[in-house]
Coordinates of all heavy atoms in Angstrom, one line a residue:
M160 N 75.7 -40.4 94.1 CA 74.6 -41.4 94.4 C 74.9 -42.6 93.5 O 75.3 -42.5 92.3 CB 73.3 -40.8 93.9 CG 72.0 -41.5 94.2 SD 70.6 -40.8 93.5 CE 69.7 -40.3 94.9
S161 N 74.8 -43.7 94.1 CA 75.1 -45.0 93.5 C 74.0 -45.4 92.5 O 72.9 -44.8 92.3 CB 75.3 -46.1 94.5 OG 74.0 -46.5 94.9
F162 N 74.5 -46.2 91.5 CA 73.6 -46.6 90.5 C 72.3 -47.3 91.0 O 71.2 -47.1 90.6 CB 74.3 -47.6 89.6 CG 73.4 -48.2 88.5 CD1 73.0 -47.5 87.4 CD2 72.9 -49.4 88.6 CE1 72.2 -48.0 86.5 CE2 72.0 -50.0 87.7 CZ 71.6 -49.3 86.6
L163 N 72.4 -48.1 92.0 CA 71.3 -48.7 92.7 C 70.2 -47.8 93.3 O 69.1 -48.0 93.1 CB 71.8 -49.8 93.8 CG 70.8 -50.6 94.4 CD1 69.9 -51.5 93.4 CD2 71.4 -51.6 95.5
K164 N 70.8 -46.8 94.0 CA 69.9 -45.7 94.4 C 69.2 -45.0 93.3 O 68.0 -44.7 93.5 CB 70.7 -44.8 95.4 CG 71.1 -45.4 96.7 CD 71.9 -44.4 97.5 CE 72.3 -44.9 98.9 NZ 72.9 -44.0 99.7
K165 N 69.9 -44.8 92.3 CA 69.3 -44.0 91.1 C 68.1 -44.9 90.6 O 67.0 -44.4 90.2 CB 70.3 -43.6 90.1 CG 71.2 -42.5 90.5 CD 72.2 -42.3 89.4 CE 73.2 -41.2 89.9 NZ 74.2 -41.0 88.8
A166 N 68.5 -46.2 90.4 CA 67.5 -47.1 89.8 C 66.3 -47.2 90.6 O 65.1 -47.2 90.2 CB 68.1 -48.4 89.6
T167 N 66.5 -47.3 92.0 CA 65.4 -47.4 92.9 C 64.5 -46.2 92.9 O 63.3 -46.3 93.0 CB 65.9 -47.8 94.3 OG1 66.7 -48.9 94.3 CG2 64.8 -47.9 95.3
A168 N 65.2 -45.1 92.9 CA 64.4 -43.8 92.9 C 63.6 -43.6 91.6 O 62.5 -43.2 91.6 CB 65.4 -42.6 93.0
A169 N 64.2 -44.0 90.5 CA 63.4 -44.0 89.2 C 62.3 -44.9 89.2 O 61.2 -44.5 88.8 CB 64.4 -44.3 88.1
A170 N 62.4 -46.1 89.7 CA 61.4 -47.1 89.8 C 60.3 -46.6 90.6 O 59.0 -46.6 90.3 CB 61.9 -48.4 90.2
A171 N 60.6 -46.0 91.8 CA 59.5 -45.5 92.9 C 58.8 -44.4 92.1 O 57.6 -44.2 92.3 CB 60.2 -45.2 94.1
G172 N 59.6 -43.5 91.5 CA 59.0 -42.4 90.8 C 58.0 -42.8 89.8 O 56.8 -42.2 89.7
T173 N 58.3 -43.8 89.0 CA 57.5 -44.3 87.9 C 56.2 -44.8 88.5 O 55.1 -44.6 88.0 CB 58.3 -45.4 87.1 OG1 59.3 -44.7 86.5 CG2 57.4 -45.9 85.9
L174 N 56.4 -45.7 89.6 CA 55.2 -46.3 90.2 C 54.3 -45.2 90.8 O 53.0 -45.4 90.7 CB 55.6 -47.3 91.3 CG 56.2 -48.5 90.8 CD1 56.8 -49.3 92.0 CD2 55.2 -49.3 90.0
F175 N 54.8 -44.2 91.3 CA 54.0 -43.0 91.8 C 53.2 -42.5 90.7 O 52.1 -42.1 90.9 CB 54.9 -42.1 92.6 CG 54.3 -40.8 93.1 CD1 53.4 -40.9 94.1 CD2 54.2 -39.6 92.4 CE1 52.8 -39.8 94.7 CE2 53.5 -38.6 92.8 CZ 52.8 -38.6 93.9
L176 N 53.8 -42.2 89.6 CA 53.1 -41.5 88.5 C 52.1 -42.5 87.9 O 51.0 -42.0 87.6 CB 54.1 -41.1 87.4 CG 55.1 -40.0 87.8 CD1 56.0 -39.7 86.6 CD2 54.2 -38.7 87.9
V177 N 52.3 -43.7 87.8 CA 51.3 -44.7 87.2 C 50.2 -44.7 88.3 O 49.0 -44.6 88.0 CB 51.9 -46.0 87.2 CG1 50.8 -47.1 86.9 CG2 53.0 -46.0 86.0
G178 N 50.4 -44.7 89.6 CA 49.4 -44.6 90.6 C 48.6 -43.3 90.5 O 47.3 -43.4 90.6
A179 N 49.2 -42.2 90.3 CA 48.4 -40.9 90.2 C 47.6 -40.9 89.0 O 46.6 -40.2 89.0 CB 49.5 -39.8 90.2
V180 N 48.0 -41.4 87.9 CA 47.1 -41.5 86.7 C 46.1 -42.5 86.8 O 44.9 -42.3 86.3 CB 48.1 -41.9 85.5 CG1 47.2 -42.1 84.2 CG2 49.0 -40.8 85.2
A181 N 46.2 -43.5 87.4 CA 45.3 -44.6 87.6 C 44.1 -44.3 88.6 O 42.9 -44.6 88.4 CB 45.8 -46.0 88.0
A182 N 44.4 -43.4 89.6 CA 43.3 -43.1 90.6 C 42.1 -42.4 90.1 O 41.0 -42.8 90.4 CB 44.0 -42.2 91.7
P183 N 42.2 -41.4 89.2 CA 41.0 -40.8 88.6 C 40.1 -41.7 88.0 O 38.9 -41.6 87.9 CB 41.6 -39.6 87.7 CG 42.9 -39.3 88.2 CD 43.5 -40.7 88.7
S184 N 40.7 -42.7 87.1 CA 39.9 -43.6 86.4 C 39.1 -44.5 87.5 O 38.0 -44.9 87.1 CB 40.7 -44.5 85.4 OG 41.6 -45.3 86.2
Q185 N 39.7 -44.9 88.5 CA 38.9 -45.7 89.5 C 37.8 -44.9 90.1 O 36.7 -45.4 90.4 CB 39.9 -46.2 90.5 CG 41.0 -47.2 90.1 CD 42.0 -47.4 91.0 OE1 42.1 -46.8 92.2 NE2 42.9 -48.4 90.8
A186 N 37.9 -43.6 90.3 CA 37.0 -42.8 91.0 C 35.8 -42.7 90.1 O 34.6 -42.6 90.5 CB 37.6 -41.4 91.3
K187 N 36.0 -42.7 88.7 CA 35.0 -42.5 87.8 C 34.0 -43.6 87.8 O 32.9 -43.6 87.6 CB 35.6 -42.4 86.4 CG 34.5 -42.0 85.3 CD 35.2 -41.8 84.1 CE 34.1 -41.3 83.0 NZ 34.7 -40.9 81.7
E188 N 34.5 -44.9 88.2 CA 33.6 -46.1 88.4 C 32.8 -46.1 89.5 O 32.0 -47.0 89.8 CB 34.6 -47.3 88.3 CG 35.3 -47.5 87.0 CD 34.4 -47.7 85.8 OE1 33.4 -48.4 86.0 OE2 34.7 -47.2 84.7
N189 N 33.0 -45.1 90.5 CA 32.3 -45.0 91.8 C 30.8 -44.9 91.5 O 30.3 -44.1 90.8 CB 32.8 -44.0 92.7 CG 32.2 -44.0 94.0 OD1 31.6 -45.0 94.4 ND2 32.3 -42.9 94.8
T190 N 29.9 -45.7 92.1 CA 28.5 -45.6 92.0 C 27.9 -45.3 93.4 O 28.5 -45.7 94.4 CB 27.8 -46.8 91.3 OG1 28.2 -47.9 92.3 CG2 28.3 -47.1 90.0
T191 N 26.7 -44.7 93.4 CA 26.1 -44.3 94.7 C 24.7 -45.0 94.8 O 23.8 -44.4 95.2 CB 25.9 -42.8 94.9 OG1 25.4 -42.2 93.7 CG2 27.4 -42.2 94.9
V192 N 24.7 -46.2 94.1 CA 23.3 -46.9 94.3 C 23.1 -47.3 95.7 O 24.0 -47.8 96.5 CB 23.4 -48.2 93.4 CG1 22.2 -49.0 93.5 CG2 23.6 -47.7 91.9
N193 N 21.9 -47.2 96.1 CA 21.4 -47.5 97.5 C 22.0 -46.7 98.6 O 22.3 -47.3 99.6 CB 21.6 -49.0 97.6 CG 20.5 -49.6 98.4 OD1 19.3 -49.1 98.7 ND2 20.6 -50.8 98.9
D194 N 22.3 -45.4 98.4 CA 22.8 -44.6 99.5 C 21.8 -43.8 100.1 O 22.1 -43.0 101.1 CB 24.0 -43.7 98.9 CG 23.5 -42.7 97.9 OD1 22.3 -42.8 97.5 OD2 24.3 -41.8 97.6
G195 N 20.5 -43.9 99.6 CA 19.4 -43.2 100.3 C 19.2 -41.9 99.7 O 18.2 -41.1 100.2
L196 N 20.0 -41.5 98.7 CA 19.9 -40.1 98.1 C 19.6 -40.1 96.6 O 20.1 -41.0 95.9 CB 21.2 -39.3 98.4 CG 21.5 -39.1 99.8 CD1 22.9 -38.5 99.9 CD2 20.6 -38.4 100.5
V197 N 18.8 -39.3 96.1 CA 18.5 -39.1 94.6 C 18.6 -37.6 94.2 O 18.6 -36.8 95.1 CB 17.2 -39.7 94.2 CG1 17.1 -41.2 94.5 CG2 16.1 -39.1 95.0
N198 N 18.5 -37.4 92.9 CA 18.4 -36.0 92.4 C 17.1 -35.8 91.7 O 16.5 -36.8 91.3 CB 19.5 -35.9 91.4 CG 20.9 -35.9 91.9 OD1 21.2 -35.8 93.1 ND2 21.9 -36.2 91.1
V199 N 16.6 -34.6 91.8 CA 15.5 -34.4 90.9 C 15.9 -33.4 89.8 O 16.6 -32.4 90.1 CB 14.4 -33.6 91.8 CG1 13.2 -33.2 90.9 CG2 14.0 -34.5 93.0
T200 N 15.6 -33.7 88.6 CA 16.0 -32.9 87.4 C 14.7 -32.5 86.6 O 13.8 -33.1 86.6 CB 17.0 -33.6 86.4 OG1 16.3 -34.7 85.9 CG2 18.2 -34.1 87.2
V201 N 14.9 -31.3 86.0 CA 13.9 -30.7 85.0 C 14.8 -30.5 83.8 O 15.6 -29.7 83.7 CB 13.2 -29.5 85.6 CG1 12.3 -28.9 84.5 CG2 12.6 -29.8 86.7
G202 N 14.5 -31.3 82.8 CA 15.3 -31.2 81.6 C 16.7 -31.7 81.9 O 16.9 -32.7 82.5
D203 N 17.7 -30.8 81.6 CA 19.1 -31.2 82.1 C 19.6 -30.4 83.1 O 20.8 -30.3 83.4 CB 20.0 -31.1 80.8 CG 20.1 -29.6 80.2 OD1 19.2 -28.8 80.7 OD2 20.8 -29.4 79.4
V204 N 18.7 -29.8 83.9 CA 19.1 -29.0 85.1 C 18.7 -29.8 86.3 O 17.5 -30.2 86.5 CB 18.3 -27.7 85.1 CG1 18.6 -26.9 86.4 CG2 18.6 -26.8 83.9
I205 N 19.7 -29.9 87.3 CA 19.4 -30.6 88.6 C 18.7 -29.5 89.5 O 19.3 -28.5 89.9 CB 20.7 -31.1 89.2 CG1 21.3 -32.2 88.3 CG2 20.4 -31.6 90.6 CD1 22.7 -32.6 88.8
V206 N 17.5 -29.8 89.9 CA 16.7 -28.9 90.8 C 17.2 -29.2 92.2 O 17.4 -28.2 93.0 CB 15.2 -29.1 90.6 CG1 14.5 -28.2 91.5 CG2 14.9 -28.9 89.1
K207 N 17.2 -30.4 92.6 CA 17.6 -30.8 94.0 C 18.6 -32.0 93.8 O 18.4 -32.9 93.1 CB 16.4 -31.4 94.8 CG 15.5 -30.3 95.3 CD 16.2 -29.6 96.4 CE 15.3 -28.7 97.1 NZ 16.0 -27.9 98.1
D208 N 19.8 -31.8 94.5 CA 20.9 -32.6 94.3 C 21.2 -33.4 95.6 O 21.2 -32.8 96.8 CB 22.2 -31.8 94.1 CG 23.4 -32.7 93.8 OD1 23.2 -33.7 93.2 OD2 24.5 -32.2 94.0
A209 N 21.2 -34.7 95.5 CA 21.5 -35.6 96.6 C 20.7 -35.4 97.8 O 21.1 -35.1 98.8 CB 23.0 -35.5 96.9
V210 N 19.4 -35.5 97.6 CA 18.3 -35.4 98.7 C 17.7 -36.8 99.0 O 17.6 -37.7 98.2 CB 17.3 -34.4 98.3 CG1 17.8 -33.0 98.3 CG2 16.5 -34.6 97.0
D211 N 17.1 -36.8 100.1 CA 16.3 -38.0 100.6 C 15.1 -38.3 99.5 O 14.6 -37.3 99.0 CB 15.8 -37.8 101.9 CG 15.0 -39.0 102.5 OD1 15.7 -40.0 102.9 OD2 13.9 -38.9 102.5
A212 N 14.8 -39.4 99.4 CA 13.7 -39.8 98.4 C 12.4 -39.2 98.8 O 11.7 -38.8 97.9 CB 13.5 -41.4 98.5
N213 N 12.1 -38.8 100.0 CA 10.8 -38.2 100.5 C 10.9 -36.7 100.0 O 9.9 -36.2 99.6 CB 10.7 -38.2 102.0 CG 10.4 -39.7 102.4 OD1 9.7 -40.3 101.7 ND2 10.9 -40.1 103.6
V214 N 12.0 -36.1 100.1 CA 12.2 -34.6 99.7 C 12.1 -34.7 98.1 O 11.4 -33.8 97.6 CB 13.6 -34.1 100.1 CG1 13.8 -32.7 99.5 CG2 13.6 -34.0 101.6
A215 N 12.7 -35.6 97.5 CA 12.7 -35.6 96.0 C 11.2 -35.8 95.6 O 10.6 -35.2 94.6 CB 13.5 -36.8 95.4
A216 N 10.5 -36.7 96.3 CA 9.1 -36.9 96.0 C 8.2 -35.6 96.1 O 7.3 -35.3 95.3 CB 8.5 -38.0 96.9
A217 N 8.4 -34.8 97.3 CA 7.7 -33.6 97.5 C 8.1 -32.5 96.4 O 7.2 -31.9 95.8 CB 8.1 -33.0 98.8
V218 N 9.3 -32.4 96.0 CA 9.6 -31.6 95.0 C 9.0 -31.9 93.6 O 8.5 -31.1 92.9 CB 11.2 -31.4 94.8 CG1 11.5 -30.7 93.5 CG2 11.8 -30.8 96.1
A219 N 9.1 -33.3 93.2 CA 8.5 -33.7 92.0 C 7.1 -33.6 91.9 O 6.4 -33.2 91.0 CB 9.0 -35.2 91.8
A220 N 6.4 -33.8 93.1 CA 4.9 -33.7 93.2 C 4.5 -32.2 93.0 O 3.5 -32.0 92.4 CB 4.4 -34.2 94.6
T221 N 5.3 -31.3 93.5 CA 4.9 -29.9 93.3 C 5.1 -29.5 91.9 O 4.3 -28.8 91.4 CB 5.9 -29.1 94.3 OG1 5.7 -29.4 95.7 CG2 5.7 -27.6 94.1
L222 N 6.2 -29.9 91.3 CA 6.5 -29.5 89.9 C 5.4 -30.2 88.9 O 5.1 -29.5 87.9 CB 7.9 -30.0 89.5 CG 9.0 -29.3 90.2 CD1 10.4 -29.9 89.8 CD2 9.0 -27.8 89.7
C223 N 5.0 -31.3 89.3 CA 4.1 -32.1 88.4 C 2.7 -32.0 88.8 O 1.8 -32.6 88.2 CB 4.5 -33.6 88.4 SG 6.2 -33.9 87.6
D224 N 2.3 -31.3 89.9 CA 1.0 -31.1 90.4 C 0.3 -32.5 90.6 O -0.7 -32.7 90.2 CB 0.2 -30.3 89.5 CG -1.0 -29.8 90.0 OD1 -1.1 -29.7 91.4 OD2 -2.0 -29.5 89.4
V225 N 1.1 -33.4 91.4 CA 0.6 -34.7 91.7 C 0.4 -34.7 93.3 O 1.2 -34.2 94.1 CB 1.8 -35.7 91.5 CG1 1.4 -37.2 92.0 CG2 2.0 -35.8 90.0
A226 N -0.8 -35.2 93.6 CA -1.2 -35.2 95.1 C -0.7 -36.4 95.8 O -0.5 -36.2 97.1 CB -2.8 -35.2 95.1
D227 N -0.4 -37.4 95.2 CA 0.1 -38.7 95.8 C 1.6 -38.7 96.0 O 2.3 -39.3 95.3 CB -0.4 -39.9 95.2 CG -0.1 -41.2 95.9 OD1 0.2 -41.2 97.1 OD2 -0.2 -42.3 95.3
I228 N 2.1 -38.0 97.1 CA 3.5 -38.0 97.4 C 4.1 -39.3 97.7 O 5.2 -39.7 97.4 CB 3.8 -36.8 98.4 CG1 3.5 -35.5 97.9 CG2 5.4 -36.9 98.8 CD1 3.6 -34.4 98.9
G229 N 3.2 -40.2 98.4 CA 3.7 -41.4 98.9 C 4.3 -42.3 97.7 O 5.2 -43.0 97.8
S230 N 3.5 -42.3 96.6 CA 3.9 -43.1 95.5 C 5.2 -42.7 94.9 O 5.9 -43.5 94.3 CB 2.7 -43.4 94.5 OG 2.5 -42.1 93.9
L231 N 5.3 -41.3 94.9 CA 6.5 -40.8 94.3 C 7.7 -41.1 95.2 O 8.9 -41.3 94.7 CB 6.4 -39.3 94.2 CG 5.4 -38.8 93.0 CD1 5.4 -37.3 92.9 CD2 5.7 -39.5 91.6
A232 N 7.5 -41.2 96.5 CA 8.6 -41.6 97.4 C 9.0 -42.9 97.2 O 10.3 -43.3 97.1 CB 8.1 -41.3 98.9
V233 N 8.0 -43.9 96.9 CA 8.4 -45.3 96.6 C 9.2 -45.3 95.3 O 10.2 -46.1 95.2 CB 7.1 -46.1 96.6 CG1 7.4 -47.5 95.9 CG2 6.4 -46.3 97.9
L234 N 8.9 -44.5 94.3 CA 9.5 -44.4 93.1 C 10.9 -44.0 93.4 O 12.0 -44.5 92.7 CB 8.8 -43.5 92.1 CG 7.7 -44.0 91.3 CD1 7.1 -43.0 90.3 CD2 8.1 -45.2 90.5
G235 N 11.1 -42.9 94.2 CA 12.5 -42.4 94.5 C 13.3 -43.4 95.3 O 14.5 -43.6 94.9
E236 N 12.7 -44.3 96.1 CA 13.6 -45.3 96.8 C 13.9 -46.4 95.7 O 14.9 -46.9 95.8 CB 12.7 -46.0 97.9 CG 12.5 -45.0 99.0 CD 11.5 -45.4 100.1 OE1 10.9 -46.5 99.9 OE2 11.4 -44.6 101.0
A237 N 13.0 -46.7 94.8 CA 13.3 -47.7 93.6 C 14.5 -47.2 92.8 O 15.3 -48.0 92.4 CB 12.1 -48.1 92.9
V238 N 14.4 -45.9 92.4 CA 15.6 -45.4 91.7 C 16.9 -45.5 92.5 O 17.8 -45.8 91.8 CB 15.3 -43.8 91.4 CG1 16.5 -43.1 90.8 CG2 14.0 -43.7 90.4
D239 N 16.8 -45.1 93.7 CA 18.1 -45.2 94.5 C 18.6 -46.8 94.6 O 19.8 -46.9 94.5 CB 17.8 -44.7 96.0 CG 19.1 -44.8 96.7 OD1 20.1 -44.4 96.3 OD2 19.0 -45.1 97.9
A240 N 17.7 -47.6 94.7 CA 18.1 -49.0 94.8 C 18.6 -49.6 93.5 O 19.5 -50.4 93.5 CB 16.9 -49.8 95.3
S241 N 17.9 -49.3 92.4 CA 18.3 -49.8 91.1 C 19.3 -49.0 90.3 O 19.9 -49.6 89.4 CB 17.0 -50.1 90.3 OG 16.5 -48.9 89.8
G242 N 19.3 -47.7 90.5 CA 20.0 -46.8 89.6 C 19.3 -46.5 88.3 O 19.9 -45.7 87.5
N243 N 18.1 -46.9 88.1 CA 17.4 -46.5 86.9 C 16.5 -45.3 87.1 O 15.8 -45.1 88.1 CB 16.3 -47.7 86.5 CG 17.1 -49.0 86.3 OD1 18.2 -49.0 85.6 ND2 16.5 -50.1 86.5
D244 N 16.6 -44.4 86.3 CA 15.9 -43.0 86.3 C 14.4 -43.2 86.1 O 14.1 -44.2 85.3 CB 16.5 -42.1 85.4 CG 17.9 -41.9 85.6 OD1 18.6 -42.2 86.6 OD2 18.6 -41.3 84.7
V245 N 13.6 -42.4 86.6 CA 12.2 -42.5 86.4 C 11.7 -41.0 86.0 O 11.9 -40.1 86.7 CB 11.4 -42.9 87.8 CG1 9.9 -42.8 87.6 CG2 11.8 -44.3 88.1
T246 N 10.9 -40.9 85.0 CA 10.3 -39.8 84.5 C 8.8 -39.6 85.2 O 8.0 -40.5 85.1 CB 10.1 -39.6 83.0 OG1 11.4 -39.8 82.4 CG2 9.3 -38.3 82.6
V247 N 8.8 -38.5 86.1 CA 7.6 -38.3 86.7 C 6.4 -37.7 85.8 O 5.2 -38.1 85.9 CB 7.7 -37.4 88.0 CG1 6.4 -37.2 88.8 CG2 8.7 -38.1 88.9
C248 N 6.8 -36.7 85.1 CA 5.9 -36.0 84.2 C 6.8 -35.1 83.2 O 8.0 -35.0 83.3 CB 4.9 -35.1 85.0 SG 5.7 -33.6 85.7
D249 N 6.1 -34.7 82.1 CA 6.7 -33.8 81.3 C 6.1 -32.3 81.4 O 5.0 -32.2 81.6 CB 6.4 -34.3 79.8 CG 7.2 -35.4 79.4 OD1 8.4 -35.5 79.7 OD2 6.5 -36.5 78.9
T250 N 7.1 -31.4 81.4 CA 6.8 -30.0 81.6 C 7.3 -29.2 80.4 O 8.0 -29.7 79.5 CB 7.3 -29.4 82.8 OG1 8.7 -29.3 82.7 CG2 6.9 -30.1 84.1
L251 N 6.9 -27.8 80.2 CA 7.4 -27.1 79.2 C 8.9 -27.0 79.2 O 9.6 -26.9 78.3 CB 6.7 -25.7 79.2 CG 5.2 -25.7 78.8 CD1 4.8 -24.4 78.9 CD2 4.9 -26.3 77.5
A252 N 9.4 -27.1 80.4 CA 11.0 -26.9 80.6 C 11.7 -28.3 80.4 O 12.9 -28.3 80.3 CB 11.2 -26.5 82.1
G253 N 10.9 -29.3 80.2 CA 11.5 -30.6 80.1 C 10.9 -31.6 81.0 O 10.1 -31.3 81.9
P254 N 11.4 -32.9 80.9 CA 10.8 -33.9 81.7 C 11.3 -33.7 83.3 O 12.6 -33.4 83.5 CB 11.3 -35.2 81.2 CG 12.5 -34.8 80.4 CD 12.3 -33.4 79.9
V255 N 10.5 -34.0 84.2 CA 10.8 -33.9 85.6 C 11.1 -35.5 85.9 O 10.3 -36.4 85.9 CB 9.7 -33.5 86.5 CG1 10.0 -33.6 87.9 CG2 9.3 -32.0 86.1
E256 N 12.5 -35.7 86.3 CA 12.9 -37.0 86.6 C 13.5 -37.1 88.0 O 14.1 -36.2 88.5 CB 13.9 -37.3 85.5 CG 13.5 -37.4 84.1 CD 14.5 -37.9 83.2 OE1 15.7 -37.4 83.3 OE2 14.3 -38.6 82.3
I257 N 13.3 -38.3 88.5 CA 14.0 -38.7 89.8 C 15.2 -39.5 89.3 O 14.9 -40.6 88.6 CB 13.1 -39.4 90.7 CG1 12.0 -38.5 91.2 CG2 14.0 -39.9 91.9 CD1 11.0 -39.3 92.1
V258 N 16.4 -39.1 89.5 CA 17.6 -39.7 89.0 C 18.5 -40.1 90.1 O 18.6 -39.4 91.0 CB 18.4 -38.7 88.1 CG1 19.6 -39.2 87.5 CG2 17.4 -38.1 87.0
N259 N 19.2 -41.2 90.0 CA 20.2 -41.7 90.9 C 21.2 -40.7 91.0 O 21.8 -40.3 90.0 CB 20.6 -43.1 90.7 CG 21.6 -43.7 91.8 OD1 21.1 -43.4 92.9 ND2 22.5 -44.3 91.4
N260 N 21.9 -40.3 92.1 CA 22.8 -39.3 92.2 C 24.2 -39.9 92.0 O 24.5 -40.9 92.0 CB 22.9 -38.7 93.6 CG 23.2 -39.7 94.8 OD1 22.8 -40.7 94.7 ND2 23.8 -39.1 95.8

């Protein structure tokens, strides 16, 4: 194998390794704001993962004994649009929150 071929192979291998290391850091920056889905958590446990804001509202209303599901659905949509979490109520198990997924 000639020197030029060896140098080209080494450069290509190095670029491949650099790309493989850089890819996970780029994936970490991925955000899911405004995808129509949110999570419902109690304390640090995810009760419902990546569900529609209406489903999240129904779950949070049940856990918090809230009758107005419509206002919780609006909160869920706001969480999805902004990425800011909202605490619906506090329970013995921890706060019930609607969280961006």
Side-chain angles (χ1 to χ4, degrees):
M160 190 184 242
S161 73
F162 175 75
L163 184 57
K164 286 183 181 179
K165 287 180 185 178
T167 303
T173 302
L174 290 174
F175 176 75
L176 289 176
V177 168
V180 171
S184 64
Q185 292 171 352
K187 189 174 184 178
E188 296 297 322
N189 186 19
T190 59
T191 54
V192 174
N193 216 14
D194 65 349
L196 303 174
V197 294
N198 298 338
V199 178
T200 63
V201 177
D203 60 353
V204 177
I205 296 176
V206 178
K207 283 291 188 182
D208 185 26
V210 294
D211 182 75
N213 294 323
V214 173
V218 171
T221 301
L222 293 171
C223 294
D224 197 24
V225 174
D227 188 11
I228 295 175
S230 63
L231 293 180
V233 171
L234 281 176
E236 291 169 1
V238 166
D239 182 46
S241 69
N243 298 327
D244 304 342
V245 172
T246 301
V247 178
C248 69
D249 289 312
T250 67
L251 294 175
V255 175
E256 296 180 319
I257 300 176
V258 179
N259 190 41
N260 62 326

